[in-house]
Amino acid sequence: HPMTVQRIADLILSADPEAKHYDATAAANAGVDFTVWMEYERIGLDADDAWAEKGWRFEVDRYTKTEFDPVADLLEDVLSTAEGVTCGHRVLYDISNGYIRHVFDCEGI
């Protein structure tokens, strides 16, 4: 079945039921660990000048102050084993606020 925004949400929420779609400002302002995600580009396989299979590029960001964050590990497990999903995983650190940022840049078809 096609990769819908709802299917992406279901995958992410299975790893972190508290994940936010688009906006996690309140969690960021509170300085707590949080996950935020968004779909950002429609993709698909082309056939006869029409989408044969539709999907999305989407990004999941896990902001944590926990060095070995179990939610980041769970997100990686869920996203790397989901049918039709491919993901890269980068890690960044922001010294100004102490957040470790796990960036999952994904495509789902």
Side-chain angles (χ1 to χ4, degrees), residues 92-106:
L92 307 165
Y93 179 69
D94 187 336
I95 197 166
S96 69
N97 60 26
Y99 272 117
I100 301 161
R101 178 180 170 200
H102 294 266
V103 181
F104 300 94
D105 195 18
C106 307

Side-chain angles (χ1 to χ4, degrees), residues 41-61:
E41 184 179 355
R42 176 59 101 178
I43 58 171
L45 301 177
D46 223 351
D48 299 324
D49 297 322
W51 293 114
E53 292 185 48
K54 288 195 228 178
W56 286 99
R57 284 196 174 101
F58 62 99
E59 183 173 309
V60 183
D61 292 279

